[in-house]
Amino acid sequence: MYLLGYDIGSSSIKCSLVDAQSGLCAAQASYPAHEAPISAPQQGWAEQDPENWWQYVRIVTQQVLQKTKATGSDIAAIGISYQMHGLVCVDEQQRALRPAIIWCDSRAVTYGNEAFRTLGEDYCLNHLLNSPGNFTAAKLAWLKDNEPDTFNRIHKVMLPGDYIAMRLSGTIATTVSGLSEGIFWDFLRNDVSQELLDHFGFSRELLADVKPTFGIQGEVSAQAAAELGLAEGTPITYRAGDQPNNALSLNVLQPGEIASTAGTSGVVYGVLGKVNHDPLSRVNPFAHVNHTPQEPRLGVLLCINGTGILNSWIRRNVADPGMTYSEINDLASQAPVGSGKLSIIPFGNGAERILENRETGCSIMGLDFNHHGKAHLMRAAQEGIVFSFKYGMEIMEQMGMRVNRIRAGHTNMFLSPLFCTTLASIAQAPIDLYDTDGSMGAARGAGIGAGIYRDASEAFASLKKIAETEPDEKRLQQYQEAYLLWKERLETILSHE
């Protein structure tokens, strides 16, 4: 008996088939091999075709079934993880009306900021826990004003994971966690925010029905079964945004526990056991996968858009042709801590929340043509990403969160020893790395939702730590000096905005 997990990312779609009894991964697949296309019709925009996601799902499903020789009837339940904050709009025939406006698209910032002023900071922060910012609700407001013909044809709006679940089952649904990430959820009233809907002029009918994060959310339809090689009636029993799901994947569920990722975007995600918010909405609390009104579990999300995308830019534009990321890491390690006072401010992938939704672009500061080379640039890129994490962690600490230990999957930038050592040192927190990813977490989440596992402890009993990185105390002062210089340069940029 297997559990099937999907991770609907902006770079690729990943799929895992997990043996339900052992909890071990039997097969994995990812598609496309290179980063999936993101369309940018205008500066600051980012769109993807939802149909592409579905085709990628079809490909990876067939690949894992072929690898294991499993059939659809061998799969007990399906879980879905997905890129957060996107907007997918479908008509009554469940057809996407336009490309999805994805997480790093910044066109709706002004709509969210205006709602923040009009609804009032007190209401937004105490009820929604965030400014509407650049989240799904604000993106829908942009669509209403700028593409009214499309808006008037909308039957339902949904997140990327809701769309894939709909394609699998024909059932349109979402979760409280999903509504909270779209800034539709009122935490004090435990319901959709009518004030927000009224402000933007949205009908509540546009929103999908709410289903539990863990539990039956739909069943695979005959059409999807035929397309993917699954069995009709297979239940979908779990869905969550990529960052709450990453935390679940690392068994991060209780207050004070921290999970991190460093893919296209980078995240530090900590669990709070009370309803709280950042007064400037620079880090964002959402309902975690195990949140209930009786036992609040909020995931405080620090997101940096310009993370892996900066590292991939370095590979394409700075590294020698054909260099692997491992070779880049080795070359970067030849430069000293602080990269010879070269700083890269990594905010070149849309508006950044920790900068109050400003879009500063990426800056390379302190470049000396007579001193710096490729190694310095490569190291400065990784240090700049880590320093942006630290900058956001300082905000989380102001909310009362203490980063004592970081858990992460052994993937993406956490494959870089330089990145891990820099982060552990500047955060003064050991990093534990695990052999897991979002699709494996989604599969195990499906096992919880289907009742195959009694609880998360049983679901993640097979999760093993494979590496640990301790802070480099000998060079701590050098890391701190490099961070302070980086922070000073960032604040200089912000003072001129």
Side-chain angles (χ1 to χ4, degrees):
M1 180 172 64
Y2 294 106
L3 301 166
L4 182 63
Y6 296 111
D7 186 8
I8 314 302
S10 51
S11 298
S12 65
I13 306 298
K14 295 176 181 150
C15 178
S16 286
L17 204 57
V18 170
D19 183 289
Q21 184 174 4
S22 68
L24 300 178
C25 185
Q28 281 192 311
S30 177
Y31 193 88
H34 302 289
E35 292 184 3
I38 296 176
S39 174
Q42 294 188 34
Q43 185 176 359
W45 291 21
E47 299 181 346
Q48 288 186 315
D49 184 353
E51 182 62 31
N52 286 345
W53 301 337
W54 179 246
Q55 294 307 318
Y56 301 160
V57 163
R58 179 180 58 80
I59 291 167
V60 294
T61 304
Q62 293 172 356
Q63 287 178 344
V64 295
L65 291 176
Q66 289 168 2
K67 287 178 181 179
T68 58
K69 307 302 181 184
T71 65
S73 59
D74 294 324
I75 296 170
I78 298 171
I80 300 170
S81 167
Y82 59 87
Q83 51 171 301
M84 298 170 71
H85 314 306
L87 173 65
V88 184
C89 305
V90 300
D91 62 17
E92 291 185 354
Q93 286 72 46
Q94 299 187 354
R95 297 174 302 198
L97 290 168
R98 69 175 319 283
I101 302 175
I102 66 171
W103 59 276
C104 55
D105 186 293
S106 57
R107 76 184 75 181
V109 169
T110 56
Y111 287 82
N113 290 345
E114 189 275 331
F116 194 43
R117 290 190 298 268
T118 304
L119 287 168
E121 294 184 13
D122 182 71
Y123 174 80
C124 289
L125 294 178
N126 285 291
H127 288 256
L128 309 177
L129 307 187
N130 298 281
S131 162
N134 189 40
F135 298 112
T136 309
K139 289 168 178 153
L140 184 60
W142 179 93
L143 187 68
K144 180 173 179 282
D145 271 9
N146 293 274
E147 297 180 9
D149 291 342
T150 300
F151 181 84
N152 291 332
R153 295 167 57 204
I154 296 174
H155 172 56
K156 294 290 181 182
V157 299
M158 58 190 70
L159 298 159
D162 301 334
Y163 174 81
I164 294 302
M166 179 200 74
R167 291 295 297 265
L168 282 167
S169 65
T171 300
I172 298 177
T174 193
T175 64
V176 168
S177 182
L179 289 171
S180 76
E181 75 176 73
I183 316 299
F184 288 107
W185 193 252
D186 187 321
F187 281 89
L188 293 189
R189 295 175 185 159
N190 194 36
D191 197 1
V192 170
S193 169
Q194 191 60 49
E195 287 86 346
L196 182 87
L197 297 181
D198 290 344
H199 171 78
F200 284 133
F202 301 155
S203 167
R204 186 164 180 157
E205 294 300 312
L206 290 176
L207 302 181
D209 293 337
V210 177
K211 301 283 187 180
T213 296
F214 299 98
I216 295 179
Q217 303 171 351
E219 297 179 344
V220 172
S221 67
Q223 179 178 342
E227 280 193 68
L228 273 61
L230 300 176
E232 182 180 358
T234 305
I236 301 163
T237 57
Y238 167 79
R239 84 181 73 179
D242 51 11
Q243 298 312 323
N245 178 73
N246 179 66
L248 174 76
S249 304
L250 296 162
N251 200 17
V252 170
L253 294 168
Q254 301 307 323
E257 296 177 344
I258 303 291
S260 184
T261 62
T264 303
S265 63
V267 164
V268 176
Y269 184 99
V271 181
L272 277 181
K274 60 181 180 179
V275 174
N276 200 358
H277 62 268
D278 168 41
L280 297 177
S281 202
R282 296 164 296 177
V283 295
N284 304 104
F286 305 112
H288 194 29
V289 294
N290 58 339
H291 171 77
T292 67
Q294 296 76 28
E295 293 189 358
R297 293 293 182 267
L298 302 183
V300 180
L301 176 65
L302 156 64
C303 181
I304 306 296
N305 289 349
T307 302
I309 194 169
L310 167 59
N311 209 36
S312 64
W313 186 92
I314 289 287
R315 184 186 184 191
R316 293 193 306 272
N317 296 283
V318 177
D320 293 335
M323 279 190 79
T324 65
Y325 283 118
S326 179
E327 290 169 336
I328 289 171
N329 296 335
D330 290 342
L331 182 56
S333 298
Q334 296 178 21
V337 172
S339 306
K341 297 188 177 181
L342 175 66
S343 300
I344 295 184
I345 313 296
F347 305 129
N349 192 28
E352 290 283 0
R353 292 173 222 166
I354 64 164
L355 306 182
E356 299 177 59
N357 284 315
R358 281 179 281 190
E359 192 169 356
T360 63
C362 179
S363 299
I364 300 174
M365 305 183 74
L367 180 64
D368 185 332
F369 299 138
N370 299 306
H371 176 63
H372 294 126
K374 291 181 179 180
H376 295 88
L377 282 165
M378 291 170 178
R379 181 169 193 130
Q382 296 200 31
E383 289 182 337
I385 295 163
V386 168
F387 294 159
S388 70
F389 278 28
K390 173 62 176 175
Y391 187 78
M393 286 179 192
E394 291 177 349
I395 299 169
M396 297 173 76
E397 289 168 354
Q398 293 166 15
M399 295 175 64
M401 183 171 293
R402 176 68 178 163
V403 180
N404 294 315
R405 184 171 289 270
I406 299 169
R407 297 182 190 175
H410 191 230
T411 186
N412 296 321
M413 294 203 68
F414 281 99
L415 293 171
S416 166
L418 184 154
F419 179 84
C420 290
T421 300
T422 304
L423 178 58
S425 301
I426 202 66
Q428 282 294 280
I431 299 173
D432 296 333
L433 299 179
Y434 295 85
D435 184 15
T436 189
D437 65 15
S439 61
M440 291 169 64
R444 290 168 174 150
I448 299 171
I452 293 168
Y453 300 128
R454 182 177 60 255
D455 54 25
S457 295
E458 185 174 327
F460 294 96
S462 61
L463 185 65
K464 303 297 182 184
K465 182 168 64 174
I466 60 174
E468 181 177 349
T469 301
E470 293 285 346
D472 182 355
E473 300 294 348
K474 291 182 179 179
R475 297 193 288 178
L476 176 59
Q477 183 175 349
Q478 297 173 52
Y479 286 111
Q480 291 175 333
E481 289 174 353
Y483 170 64
L484 291 175
L485 177 60
W486 181 95
K487 185 177 179 181
E488 178 184 325
R489 286 168 166 170
L490 170 63
E491 290 175 347
T492 298
I493 292 170
L494 297 179
S495 69
H496 290 91
E497 281 286 307

